[in-house]
Amino acid sequence: GKQWYQRRVRGIIYKMKLFLLTALFGASFAHTWMSCPWSFDVDPGRPADTTGPCETENVWHGVKYPNEYKAGDRMKVGWTSNNHAGGWVRIALAPYGQHKTHKAFDDNVMKISCYGHDQRPGGTVYGDCKHPCNARPGCEYQAYEEDNARFDTTVKIPHNLADGDYVLQIKSAMSSHPHFYYSCAKISVTGGNPSLTCPQDKLIVAPKCLKGTAVELKEYTKNSKPGKFCYNKDGPGYIDADMYRVPKNVQCDPRITCAVSIDGKGCKNQDRMKDITNDWKPEQVCGEVKPAPAPTCEDGVKNQGEERIDCGGPCAACPVTMPPTTPADRVYSKFDFQKIAYPSEGYLNGNAIVHVRHKVNGWNLTLFFDRKVEISQYWGGKLLSVNEFKTVYVFKNNSWNGRLKPGSKVTVGFEGKFDLGAVDSPNLMGKDFVQS
């Protein structure tokens, strides 16, 4: 009604203002770059880079402030919002000297994080916000995986790196930009154990983020492979298992300056923006920064690499409510599962096709997924039960397909949605078909 119309008009006016400001000052607003740790070029008026894999290394600007870390340190990685919101950021690490090809970073991805957006009411409109967009200030850091919308994250320096120089890269196509922006930082690492080897993970986990008008998640994961990094002293580990620890560069303030904001006056009134005294080295004076509480298997938060809240990963295995079936009582000869999935949209269409080898008078079919699936529509059977985690679904026959002859088949299909928590769609971990 009237309120919707007024909101729509305000949104259009906001967008027009943003368009005009961007048109006038496009060189300042239409890009982003890494601001924590110090990038190849720390000039706050610098251009962006859409060619990659890194911007030009400015010997006067980029090496002015060293980035020195020890293996096992946590490091804040942040970027300036430049009035944009929505999408993801891919973070990768390659040896210095090998950093001039995209493949070097594609083969050594550390993680994918959210680009960020202003979560305050009315703060994000049509993929844009007013810098600093409620970005996290210096002396604060992301301590929990779910706190991922404030234009920064942290990573752990792997334990299996040889002493030397490396290049950290971020890659993002935020807001409505159709192409990626690239930015890199040179870091020096000591104290690693290069004789330690770790296998490559099978997939890159990505959080659920506000997509807005940004490019699809699949564009970030295309050609991307997890690096063979060891996040424990004696093995693979998980990059964010100790995210609660204070990063070494916690004082770094990724917001940089109000000079890039479309609302300079309002920007200066944001949390501690006036305390940034050097745009070339944006920092806050912190004092003691205490770490967040260490994660546990009873804190009610999905963290430290858990499969679900407080189970899986380092915690006890998540409960499984699959009825046991032995080959002797199995009534089917073949059980096929076919799926069509769109991970970037969180959509899944599946069909379970069972070939019966014995006469059946009534049946139950069970599907057990490796993570939560919210089934909204189904056919070929009736939903009998679903567990509290929405990972195990049990279907029963309809009145017309309960009696099956040997050699016949039955199909149960469904449509469902899942959280955008990984590059791949949910997988079927278990299945069963028994006579009821």
Side-chain angles (χ1 to χ4, degrees), residues 22-167:
T22 304
L24 291 170
F25 306 106
S28 297
F29 300 147
H31 53 263
T32 190
W33 62 85
M34 191 187 313
S35 44
C36 298
W38 322 124
S39 68
F40 275 5
D41 189 347
V42 297
D43 184 346
R46 50 162 285 178
D49 188 285
T50 57
T51 303
C54 297
E55 66 268 69
T56 301
E57 189 172 4
N58 192 316
V59 297
W60 297 106
H61 299 167
V63 299
K64 194 172 183 179
Y65 310 111
N67 298 304
E68 298 174 346
Y69 295 87
K70 292 182 179 180
D73 281 347
R74 290 208 71 88
M75 174 174 61
K76 178 192 286 189
V77 182
W79 43 90
T80 173
S81 77
N82 281 38
N83 309 287
H84 300 307
W88 291 265
V89 173
R90 194 195 73 173
I91 302 173
L93 183 71
Y96 187 82
Q98 299 179 25
H99 65 285
K100 296 184 179 181
T101 66
H102 285 281
K103 190 175 188 305
F105 294 105
D106 290 344
D107 291 347
N108 290 282
V109 174
M110 302 183 81
K111 66 187 286 187
I112 290 178
S113 186
C114 297
Y115 179 76
H117 68 281
D118 193 333
Q119 296 173 294
R120 298 171 296 186
T124 297
V125 181
Y126 300 116
D128 292 300
C129 52
K130 297 179 181 179
H131 181 81
C133 301
N134 198 37
R136 202 183 325 266
C139 304
E140 298 181 14
Y141 65 99
Q142 182 189 0
Y144 303 102
E145 292 176 75
E146 293 81 3
D147 184 17
N148 55 19
R150 300 191 66 188
F151 302 90
D152 70 342
T153 186
T154 68
V155 298
K156 187 173 186 176
I157 305 298
H159 285 281
N160 60 331
L161 300 183
D163 290 359
D165 293 334
Y166 294 83
V167 176

Side-chain angles (χ1 to χ4, degrees), residues 19 155 202 262 379:
F19 174 80
V155 298
K202 294 182 179 180
I262 61 171
W379 51 91

Side-chain angles (χ1 to χ4, degrees), residues 2 30 59 155 172 195 276 282 301 312 344 395 397 403 407:
K2 183 178 180 180
V59 297
V155 298
S172 182
S195 64
I276 301 175
V301 178
S344 63
F395 297 89
N397 59 274
R403 295 184 178 183

Side-chain angles (χ1 to χ4, degrees), residues 163-378:
D163 290 359
D165 293 334
Y166 294 83
V167 176
L168 186 79
Q169 181 211 55
I170 65 169
K171 170 183 175 179
S172 182
M174 76 304 295
S175 187
S176 57
H177 293 280
H179 46 251
F180 284 102
Y181 290 95
Y182 302 88
S183 185
C184 296
K186 183 179 179 181
I187 65 173
S188 297
V189 178
T190 58
N193 177 13
S195 64
L196 184 64
T197 59
C198 290
Q200 189 175 52
D201 286 338
K202 294 182 179 180
L203 56 84
I204 302 168
V205 176
K208 185 176 181 179
C209 307
L210 174 72
K211 176 185 176 296
T213 54
V215 301
E216 301 288 344
L217 177 60
K218 64 183 179 182
E219 297 300 321
Y220 289 81
T221 59
K222 185 189 302 181
N223 302 321
S224 296
K225 301 176 183 177
K228 297 180 180 179
F229 299 124
C230 300
Y231 296 110
N232 281 344
K233 289 183 178 180
D234 56 358
Y238 174 58
I239 188 171
D240 288 333
D242 58 356
M243 183 180 259
Y244 66 93
R245 290 173 48 212
V246 179
K248 182 181 177 183
N249 61 335
V250 68
Q251 79 284 354
C252 185
D253 197 318
R255 304 173 298 174
I256 302 180
T257 176
C258 286
V260 298
S261 178
I262 61 171
D263 182 16
K265 184 177 180 180
C267 173
K268 292 177 182 178
N269 293 325
Q270 297 295 311
D271 185 19
R272 285 173 279 172
M273 283 300 298
K274 292 181 179 179
D275 294 336
I276 301 175
T277 58
N278 184 353
D279 294 352
W280 293 66
K281 190 181 180 183
E283 294 181 317
Q284 298 284 346
V285 178
C286 299
E288 181 185 6
V289 179
K290 295 183 179 180
T296 70
C297 296
E298 299 176 348
D299 57 13
V301 178
K302 183 180 179 295
N303 49 28
Q304 62 180 338
E306 296 166 355
E307 180 184 342
R308 299 196 291 269
I309 294 175
D310 293 340
C311 72
C315 305
C318 294
V320 177
T321 56
M322 278 288 293
T325 301
T326 61
D329 66 5
R330 199 171 74 176
V331 298
Y332 64 90
S333 60
K334 189 177 180 181
F335 193 133
D336 293 327
F337 180 70
Q338 303 170 349
K339 70 175 182 179
I340 300 174
Y342 300 91
S344 63
E345 300 175 7
Y347 171 79
L348 178 68
N349 179 293
N351 281 294
I353 305 169
V354 181
H355 298 258
V356 177
R357 67 177 180 179
H358 297 313
K359 181 180 178 181
V360 173
N361 290 314
W363 50 262
N364 289 341
L365 182 148
T366 302
L367 300 177
F368 172 34
F369 300 96
D370 61 354
R371 66 181 194 270
K372 178 181 176 182
V373 176
E374 295 192 66
I375 292 179
S376 55
Q377 298 184 52
Y378 49 88

